[in-house]
Amino acid sequence: CPFFLYFCLKSICSFLLFSLLLQLKTILNVITFKRKTQPKSKAMKNILGKAILLASALLFSITGTSCSNDDNTTPEKEKTYDMSGFAKGADVSWLTEMEKDGVKFYNQSGKATECMKLLREEGTNSIRLRVWVNPEGGWCGKDDVIAKAWRAQQLGFRLMIDFHYSDTWADPGNQKVPAAWQGYTVEQMKQAVADHTKDVLTALKDRGVTNVEWVQVGNETRDGMLWNSDEAVTGQVSKNAANFAAYINAGYDAVKAVYPQAKVIVHVDKGQDLGGLTWLYDKLKENDGKWDVIGLSLYPEDDNWQSYAESCLANIQTLSSKYGKDVIVSEIGMWWGSDQAAPMMKKMVDGCKAISTCEGIFYWEPEVYNNWKPANYITLGWSAYTKGAFDNSGKPTAVFDAYKNIK
């Protein structure tokens, strides 16, 4: 019961019981005074005595206890989280498919916990979600993205939406045109990019998702996107840099039409390789490409993580200075079982945080553990992804200490 109501009821009951006690005491005194002239039966005295004891017990129970064990006079304050500032992110695009497969996640005490809540407890404040055009099974399609984005926003997360402009993986070796866009002209391709981008973002906005802070137009576009055998149409930079810039601009304008304040990212892999990075961004700049933030990936190994981290941090400063843009590490990962993963992440998080033009860092699919594979990995014959940040029992590893103990 509410505290105020309980207090009022307790006060009234206390007053009534005190009155009853006084009246009973008066009656007993009268009986005692008159017992020589009007003897009272022993039974009556016992009844009155028991009545006083009962009233006292009731008074004690009311004044000494609350409505229930759960309704304390001072409710327990719900824990709050600071989700602002430097982005400490996680790409959890596989989450709904993992949940469908019955995968559970556990905190350090072994308690099953919803994954996004657990990530928030581990210091994460931002979520990244990839978008595919017409994926098999619907995973990472529009509806799936909306469901995950809505869940993330309810927990206070800021969002990065990552458009691949493909029905499946878009990366340095694969930038396949969606099946529905095959045979398009350049103008049709630009329109398709714009329409798809607006469609997904408008659906998010209509669902009430307002926390979209970044939007990636393309994923790991080291040599462009929307590769096509027709060089007049392809967005492959080494063959037609002008088309790549045109497709990027179509996506850029579409983003701004729906979320004007969102920052558009152009994302390239190998954050340690300055030459490859400047080659791509130079080509984009030469062809009047538009973007707000430079996005990088970094996937080091035990034997090179220190040099990779140092090079990447230096490159962030160089790229910011050269192009006048902020930088964000859109993807990072390292083998979950390595004792070097946590030191690597600490070096990168602390280093990025110390650079004023670096907006944050996102661990890629940290929730994956115990050799789980998505359906399309099985179809493609790929091995399980092993660079998550959960151990084989489903608990977060020390990688997250970098988020929790950030300087």
Side-chain angles (χ1 to χ4, degrees), residues 125-372:
N125 63 14
S126 303
I127 292 293
R128 179 178 185 252
L129 300 170
R130 66 178 159 272
V131 186
W132 289 336
V133 176
N134 186 27
E136 185 176 353
W139 303 115
C140 297
K142 180 173 70 173
D143 292 343
D144 185 39
V145 171
I146 292 169
K148 289 175 291 195
W150 175 250
R151 284 171 57 179
Q153 179 168 282
Q154 299 317 294
L155 295 172
F157 286 108
R158 296 138 69 196
L159 293 168
M160 180 191 294
I161 305 300
D162 169 25
F163 285 92
H164 283 224
Y165 301 111
S166 184
D167 293 333
T168 186
W169 301 103
D171 54 43
N174 301 278
Q175 296 285 340
K176 189 174 181 180
V177 173
W181 302 2
Q182 295 286 344
Y184 279 7
T185 64
V186 171
E187 292 303 315
Q188 289 173 322
M189 198 72 80
K190 287 192 295 183
Q191 191 63 51
V193 168
D195 290 347
H196 170 60
T197 305
K198 284 182 182 178
D199 179 50
V200 174
L201 295 181
T202 300
L204 283 168
K205 197 169 190 178
D206 289 347
R207 181 66 177 87
V209 176
T210 60
N211 284 5
V212 177
E213 190 165 334
W214 309 272
V215 178
Q216 263 191 217
V217 176
N219 187 75
E220 293 192 329
T221 54
R222 185 202 308 175
D223 192 17
M225 65 184 189
L226 295 169
W227 293 350
N228 195 304
S229 59
D230 184 351
E231 290 191 14
V233 177
T234 188
Q236 192 169 358
V237 177
S238 57
K239 294 181 178 180
N240 197 324
N243 281 353
F244 174 61
Y247 299 152
I248 290 292
N249 289 352
Y252 184 98
D253 292 342
V255 172
K256 299 297 183 177
V258 182
Y259 288 104
Q261 303 305 315
K263 289 172 265 192
V264 175
I265 299 169
V266 172
H267 174 215
V268 184
D269 68 313
K270 292 188 177 180
Q272 77 280 5
D273 177 18
L274 182 61
L277 299 170
T278 56
W279 178 82
L280 185 283
Y281 293 110
D282 280 348
K283 292 289 187 183
L284 192 56
K285 186 176 180 180
E286 290 166 8
N287 288 276
D288 300 318
K290 296 184 289 188
W291 78 102
D292 302 317
V293 178
I294 290 169
L296 305 177
S297 291
L298 191 72
Y299 288 97
E301 304 292 345
D302 279 14
D303 60 354
N304 60 25
W305 75 264
Q306 291 184 336
S307 63
Y308 271 36
E310 289 168 3
S311 294
C312 186
L313 292 170
N315 292 345
I316 289 170
Q317 295 177 299
T318 300
L319 294 168
S320 293
S321 177
K322 180 176 175 65
Y323 300 103
K325 310 287 186 184
D326 280 0
V327 178
I328 198 162
V329 179
S330 292
E331 295 182 19
I332 193 167
M334 193 168 176
W335 180 54
W336 75 268
S338 171
D339 60 3
Q340 299 299 301
M344 179 280 295
M345 194 60 177
K346 177 174 172 54
K347 183 178 181 68
M348 284 300 298
V349 170
D350 290 349
C352 286
K353 179 69 164 52
I355 301 171
S356 62
T357 54
C358 186
E359 298 193 5
I361 186 168
F362 285 73
Y363 211 91
W364 198 76
E365 300 287 10
E367 80 283 9
V368 175
Y369 72 94
N370 204 24
N371 292 317
W372 177 86

Side-chain angles (χ1 to χ4, degrees), residues 38-60:
Q38 296 177 343
K40 188 76 175 178
S41 71
K42 185 176 181 180
M44 181 60 71
K45 289 182 182 180
N46 288 338
I47 291 172
L48 288 170
K50 289 178 180 179
I52 292 173
L53 290 174
L54 177 61
S56 300
L58 287 171
L59 178 61
F60 175 79

